[in-house]
Amino acid sequence: MSNQNPPPGNYPPPGNYPSPGEYPQQGGYQQQPVAPKNTMGTVALVLAILGVLFSWTIVGGIVLGLIAIVLGFIGRSRYKKRTATNGTVSLIAIILGFVAAALSIVLVVVGVGLFNAGGGQDFTECLNNAGSDTTAQQQCADEFQQNLENRFDESTPN
């Protein structure tokens, strides 16, 4: 006759099994909490703020704003997957990224409009005709400046 003892271990009495989720943890090690992945949202917010501050430049407003929007959406996605905890920061970065890009576009359009209204096309044509002659280039710049002063000076009637 063979001895049929169960293998050594800590078993509950027969018929008294734990419900699912109550089983003792195996291996003797505990699960460590995972740090939230908040980097994308934070970087997006920093880029969005820089985008708003430098919206008067194309690189500052449009490029940084668009990068902030993309990183903000990545951060927001991580928040929804519960791997990040800064969902509000990501949302603010997205909004500020849109503001930076839109403000930069408006400033560029207004700037081009003012440049053209001030005789910018004539200035550009003059510079093209001047070529590499620095004296002619300076004369173009002086004429453009004088033209702007004449057009936008409040004391001079139009």
Side-chain angles (χ1 to χ4, degrees):
M1 222 171 176
S2 68
N3 188 0
Q4 294 190 353
N5 290 333
N10 187 12
Y11 298 104
N16 189 16
Y17 295 104
S19 61
E22 292 181 5
Y23 288 100
Q25 198 166 17
Q26 301 295 320
Y29 43 111
Q30 297 177 354
Q31 194 174 13
Q32 295 294 324
V34 178
K37 297 179 180 180
N38 290 332
T39 305
M40 285 295 177
T42 305
V43 170
L45 182 62
V46 170
L47 291 178
I49 291 170
L50 289 173
V52 170
L53 290 175
F54 293 104
S55 61
W56 52 272
T57 67
I58 292 174
V59 172
I62 296 173
V63 174
L64 291 179
L66 292 177
I67 293 171
I69 291 168
V70 170
L71 294 180
F73 275 116
I74 292 171
R76 198 72 184 145
S77 172
R78 286 185 177 176
Y79 172 73
K80 288 179 181 178
K81 292 177 185 174
R82 299 186 187 270
T83 58
T85 58
N86 63 347
T88 306
V89 170
S90 296
L91 182 61
I92 292 170
I94 293 168
I95 294 169
L96 283 178
F98 276 118
V99 168
L103 185 61
S104 185
I105 290 169
V106 167
L107 289 174
V108 167
V109 168
V110 168
V112 168
L114 287 174
F115 181 74
N116 288 336
Q121 290 175 338
D122 295 336
F123 175 63
T124 304
E125 186 178 317
C126 182
L127 283 178
N128 286 337
N129 291 337
S132 60
D133 183 5
T134 56
T135 306
Q137 290 174 352
Q138 184 60 44
Q139 184 178 0
C140 292
D142 293 342
E143 288 175 9
F144 179 66
Q145 182 178 357
Q146 187 62 44
N147 189 16
L148 284 177
E149 289 173 1
N150 291 342
R151 286 187 186 202
F152 296 108
D153 188 14
E154 292 179 23
S155 63
T156 306
N158 291 342

